[in-house]
Amino acid sequence: MSIISAGKGISKYNIHIVDKKLSKNLINKYLNKDSKILIVTDEGIPKKYLKFLKSNISNKSVNIFTLPKGEKSKSYNSYKKIINELSRLKFDRTDYLIAFGGGVVGDITGFVASTYLRGISYIQIPTSLLAQVDSSVGGKTAINIPQGKNLVGAFYNPKCVLISTRYLKTLSEDEYKSGLGEVIKYSFIGNKILKKLIEENPKEIIERKESTLKIVIEQSIKTKSKIVTKDEKESGIRAILNFGHTFGHAIEAYNKYK
Ligand code: GLY
């Protein structure tokens, strides 16, 4: 297992990367055992993954909130529904949210966590390559509004990020490639080790070999964590991480996030 840290001071957190299933020990490592838990996920996440996660959490109260799959779920409406669920479950500041899914799930769960009771704890368990190498790290949380993507949000760091390459096995080819786009981004913005790794191991990467993917993810996150720790709120160097995103976001907004 490799561990990389990001953030500063009390909002510093660890990112764990494994090339096998998450262990029970790791799943429970950052949870307070008496807390209530709400796992936020989406309909695209295979049920077996959700079942495994839920059955490995030792806390007594573990609930699940499932969003429809897709960017449209990163909305004010979904935000309200999750908030209503937290208040129905009587969540207080000692309780935890777990974002279990891709970037949409991570962004909206983080935003709910940043605002409910002025901030409760959340954990990121990203299941897409894009979320593993980019959106789960750095504390950017948000929802979309009709005027544009991510226009309402907060910088709010998770308690930890738990990454398993196992989740990548069932990703569609399109989703996998969109994550690889982010990996290539890190090689373009300065990670020479990653560039070499991609150039020398294309077959292993295309075939999703877990031990290679672990190194790819590790290198990507090393670059990202260095940048987001230096410039947490994007007043300078962090903007380099938007390399490619800015065009993508405009295209998504133009197509109404379909
Ligand atoms: N995805 C760009 C950033 O985290 O700053």
Side-chain angles (χ1 to χ4, degrees), residues 134 140 224 234 238 241-242 245:
D134 181 36
K140 272 189 179 175
K224 175 141 195 186
E234 200 173 291
R238 183 166 179 168
L241 295 173
N242 298 333
H245 286 203

Side-chain angles (χ1 to χ4, degrees), residues 189-218:
I189 64 172
N191 189 321
K192 294 201 178 95
I193 300 174
L194 194 50
K195 183 165 177 287
K196 194 156 178 269
L197 196 72
I198 297 168
E199 283 169 353
E200 289 176 1
N201 303 279
K203 193 163 177 283
E204 291 179 8
I205 294 173
I206 287 164
E207 286 172 358
R208 309 186 194 185
K209 188 173 170 202
E210 286 194 271
S211 54
T212 309
L213 283 179
K214 179 169 171 275
I215 308 172
V216 163
I217 294 166
E218 233 171 72

Side-chain angles (χ1 to χ4, degrees), residues 116-128:
Y116 185 74
L117 299 179
R118 300 194 179 98
I120 65 170
S121 301
Y122 78 113
I123 286 177
Q124 290 269 20
I125 307 185
T127 56
S128 71

Side-chain angles (χ1 to χ4, degrees), residues 224-241:
K224 175 141 195 186
S225 64
K226 210 189 294 168
I227 294 170
V228 299
T229 302
K230 206 183 277 177
D231 178 21
E232 208 154 81
K233 299 211 168 152
E234 200 173 291
S235 50
I237 185 69
R238 183 166 179 168
I240 202 173
L241 295 173

